[in-house]
Amino acid sequence: SAVSSLDCGFDERPLSGGRDRCARVWKIRDETHLVFRAPHDSGLGGSVDAVRVIDRDRFVSGGDDGGLSLWSTRRKKPVVTIKRAHGCGAAVQKLGEDVPGPIPRWVSSVGSARRSDLVVSGSCDGFVRLWTVGARDDAQQSLDARGAIPQLGFVNALACP
């Protein structure tokens, strides 16, 4: 399957996402990898199109089904998924003018400063959205909306230090 996103995290363990609905953590020294399968939401795409390592144990992903997911390397499924993280509808025509529709907006980019609790996501809704990652304990982890920064156009990529 085609690789649509790649992030080089820690300890020679890059992270990739692809059209097969999987995120993979590659163990270069061992020549193996861990597979994390994204949930499939009611017949929508479900590819993993954007990935970003947060710290040694967690990463975030976004895809064409509109979902933003927080993952733990200790679990094979997302710890938290925000469905329709950027809403539904077509791309914005002008800043703030939304064209309603039933299709979730593709989360085309994600970012996070390493070892930070802040995650950003981009789509075609006219905003870069800010999210806070909750506690490190798997049972209590969360992604909470913290705000949005207006941005004209389609957000193809986000660069974070």
Side-chain angles (χ1 to χ4, degrees):
S1 176
V3 173
S4 56
S5 184
L6 182 66
D7 186 30
C8 295
F10 298 96
D11 299 330
E12 296 182 5
R13 294 179 65 175
L15 171 66
S16 67
R19 293 289 308 161
D20 61 354
R21 297 185 314 133
C22 292
R24 288 179 163 77
V25 174
W26 299 89
K27 297 179 177 183
I28 294 174
R29 287 184 184 165
D30 300 335
E31 296 183 8
T32 62
H33 65 278
L34 302 172
V35 178
F36 302 88
R37 185 165 302 279
H40 195 57
D41 186 19
S42 64
L44 298 172
S47 65
V48 177
D49 293 319
V51 293
R52 178 69 176 182
V53 173
I54 297 173
D55 56 35
R56 293 183 190 279
D57 301 320
R58 299 181 296 177
F59 64 93
V60 66
S61 71
D64 63 357
D65 65 351
L68 178 68
S69 297
L70 175 66
W71 302 77
S72 168
T73 56
R74 296 184 297 263
R75 296 181 62 186
K76 293 292 184 177
K77 298 197 182 285
V79 176
V80 176
T81 297
I82 306 295
K83 294 182 179 183
R84 296 168 177 82
H86 283 261
C88 293
V92 289
Q93 303 303 314
K94 294 181 184 173
L95 187 61
E97 290 184 19
D98 200 13
V99 178
I103 306 298
R105 291 192 185 101
W106 169 39
V107 177
S108 55
S109 57
V110 294
S112 174
R114 302 275 192 239
R115 298 180 184 96
S116 169
D117 67 347
L118 184 66
V119 170
V120 295
S121 63
S123 184
C124 62
D125 65 341
F127 295 94
V128 171
R129 298 195 182 272
L130 308 171
W131 309 85
T132 302
V133 177
R136 290 187 58 89
D137 178 24
D138 282 354
Q140 298 178 0
Q141 288 192 34
S142 62
L143 275 174
D144 301 312
R146 288 296 174 225
I149 301 168
Q151 178 63 49
L152 283 174
F154 199 100
V155 180
N156 290 318
L158 292 162
C160 298

